[in-house]
Structures are given as structure tokens and as C-alpha cells.
Amino acid sequence: MTYAVIVLTGGRGERLGGVDKAALSFRDATLLDHVLSVVDDASRKVVVGPEKDLPGVVWAREDPPGGGPLAGLAAGLAEVTEEWVAVLAVDQPGLTKDTIARLRAVGRNAVLRDDRVQWLIGFWNTAQLREALPGDPRNLPLRKTLLQLHPVEVPALPGEARDVDTPADLDTLHSG
């Protein structure tokens, strides 16, 4: 089954002092490079956020910028033609190809779950996702929209759902 991926990079990184999370170093590359590497088999890669010099990527931007993850998802979805789409946040260093394979294997809408549902690590039917989007997604909660799609919760492996939100997370990222 072919699929697309939408990687959301547009957050302000406020708890990290305004750092561009997509550009953070991780394993001799960036967090964006890492996330894209785990979906290298996606037929289309859409990155929502400030454009960078990165070949093979379709860039999208919510209007206005800073409208939140649901607005970013809507902007990315406008570039997707595939039946299925993985939706990921850029600040997920624990993601692996196996993470995506397990979500895809469900065969229907699926999200990763550790101690909580990880709404920005999911695999979705594109038509259902489009139908669930509100007319104006700016500053609305992503969770409320995605809950309507009744995703299967796929258990996360240890460390798989960790993200980079705080200086302590960044220290852990660089020491790992």
C-alpha cells in the first residue's frame, strides 16, 4: 500500500527558547532528516513549516503561520493524493521504520500510545481525515478532530514516543 507522510515542523519551540526543532542535531543529521528517514518508502513527503533546502520534499505552510497543528495538518493534507497518510511531528527522535510499519499494519486509522495517545504519530485514511477537518482549523485542538476517526491505539515500545519539548529533552537527545 502506498502512502504519503505529513511532517509538522511549524511549532514555535517556546519551551526551548524559540529553537527550530527541525534543525536540531540528531545522530549526525537533523531531527527532520531523522523523521524523513523512517518514512523513506512514502510516495510523497510533505513537510509543513518554514521551507529548507531539502530535495524530494513538498513544502506546505498553514495560513497564517502559527495556526497550530490542526491548521498545519490541513495545509499538508492539501498536498496529499495518496489514500493513506502518516502524520508525524518533527520532534520525535524515537521513531523507527518499525513504528511506521506497525501503524500501517493495522489497516485502518491508528495512533501510537505510550502513557498517553500520541496524536502526532499516526496513520490515517486520507479521505476520512479530510472529512473530519473543520472548515477553519486554526487554533483548534488536533485531538478532538482525530478522536472522531476512532483510531486503533498501537502500544509504543520503550522510548519510541519520546519527543523534544524542553531543555531537559534536548540534553537527553544529545546524550543519547
Side-chain angles (χ1 to χ4, degrees):
M1 145 191 2
T2 62
Y3 73 101
V5 62
I6 297 171
V7 180
L8 301 176
T9 71
R12 291 186 293 270
E14 290 173 351
R15 290 180 281 178
L16 284 170
V19 168
D20 176 6
K21 289 184 184 182
L24 288 175
S25 295
F26 180 66
R27 296 185 182 153
D28 300 325
T30 66
L31 279 177
L32 179 56
D33 293 329
H34 169 70
V35 172
L36 290 172
S37 77
V38 303
V39 290
D40 62 355
D41 60 339
S43 58
R44 179 181 301 251
K45 297 169 190 75
V46 180
V47 178
V48 180
E51 193 167 334
K52 300 179 183 334
D53 183 20
L54 199 58
V57 170
V58 175
W59 293 92
R61 191 68 195 229
E62 70 273 24
D63 185 24
L70 190 59
L73 173 59
L77 209 50
E79 302 295 332
V80 172
T81 57
E82 291 75 7
E83 182 179 0
W84 292 94
V85 60
V87 176
L88 306 170
V90 75
D91 65 344
Q92 304 287 340
L95 288 178
T96 66
K97 289 182 181 205
D98 182 63
T99 310
I100 305 306
R102 291 190 345 268
L103 290 167
R104 289 178 66 192
V106 170
R108 51 184 281 220
N109 296 324
V111 291
L112 199 67
R113 180 184 183 90
D114 57 354
D115 58 331
R116 61 188 173 91
V117 173
Q118 298 293 328
W119 294 107
L120 290 177
I121 305 177
F123 196 73
W124 306 93
N125 176 277
T126 303
Q128 291 175 11
L129 196 51
R130 277 194 180 102
E131 191 173 307
L133 283 176
D136 183 359
R138 287 177 293 175
N139 301 312
L140 293 177
L142 181 79
R143 177 189 75 247
K144 185 176 178 184
T145 297
L146 297 180
L147 263 172
Q148 299 173 56
L149 301 177
H150 307 288
V152 173
E153 295 180 6
V154 176
L157 300 176
E160 193 172 39
R162 73 182 170 124
D163 58 6
V164 179
D165 286 330
T166 66
D169 297 336
L170 189 56
D171 290 343
T172 301
L173 175 69
H174 288 136
S175 65

